[in-house]
Amino acid sequence: AGLLGTGQLTGQTFDRIMDAPQSQIPLYKKDKLRYLKESARLQPPVTSVTHTVAEDKKVSMGNGLEPVAVAKGTTVQVIIATANSDPAVFGGKYRSKKYAETFDPSRENLDKIVSWNGVEMSVQSREGPRWCLGHDLSLDVATKILDYILPTEEEAAAAAAAA
């Protein structure tokens, strides 16, 4: 834990904050974990996960496609980047594709992001087929690095005024 995925998460989140530091630094400080999770939702630091199916099942392909039969023992690779912009889950009250693709750390269903090898609520509770042992460490390391390298709100305001 803490190598590639955490570095990606930290770098992507830093870039997002520094694109508009005057508005994003206070938003980050308001709830650092939700900010990081929303960042991971839109730009997953790990874009796919593998899983071995434990029993025969039909798997939903989304987007109105017919479910696919998958046999027990089959190893599947799940592209999680697209799952995190599903309007049915992240599109808000109106299931809006535009809102699902918008950065909003206060959104509902943030516990349903797919990252850290599974659905966030399953990873947090240590349930599910394969949760990441480094989940908490990853978030802690990213938070510590961002807290250390980000300018203060005053420094960001001064930089904006000088530009």
Side-chain angles (χ1 to χ4, degrees), residues 37 111 119-127 131 135-136:
K37 289 176 185 181
D111 63 335
V119 177
E120 176 65 10
M121 61 187 172
S122 298
V123 174
Q124 287 177 340
S125 63
R126 310 300 194 256
E127 296 173 359
W131 50 271
H135 172 269
D136 296 348

Side-chain angles (χ1 to χ4, degrees), residues 49-54 70-78 130:
V49 295
T50 56
H51 170 67
T52 301
V53 178
V70 180
K72 176 182 177 178
T74 302
T75 299
V76 294
Q77 183 170 21
V78 181
R130 182 174 171 229

Side-chain angles (χ1 to χ4, degrees), residues 114-156:
V114 181
S115 196
W116 292 281
N117 294 341
V119 177
E120 176 65 10
M121 61 187 172
S122 298
V123 174
Q124 287 177 340
S125 63
R126 310 300 194 256
E127 296 173 359
R130 182 174 171 229
W131 50 271
C132 178
L133 289 170
H135 172 269
D136 296 348
L137 176 63
S138 174
L139 290 168
D140 190 46
V141 167
T143 301
K144 297 282 191 258
I145 292 170
L146 290 168
D147 288 349
Y148 184 78
I149 63 175
L150 284 173
T152 64
E153 291 175 51
E154 295 77 21
E155 291 168 337

Side-chain angles (χ1 to χ4, degrees), residues 9-20 35 43 146:
L9 175 62
T10 305
Q12 290 168 177
T13 303
F14 179 77
D15 289 345
R16 177 182 305 284
I17 292 170
M18 294 311 292
D19 280 344
Y35 194 100
Q43 293 179 288
L146 290 168

Side-chain angles (χ1 to χ4, degrees), residues 38 41-42 90 97-105 107:
E38 178 69 348
R41 183 186 73 81
L42 288 174
F90 300 107
K97 181 170 177 51
K98 183 176 180 180
Y99 180 64
E101 295 171 350
T102 300
F103 185 81
D104 180 4
R107 80 175 53 252

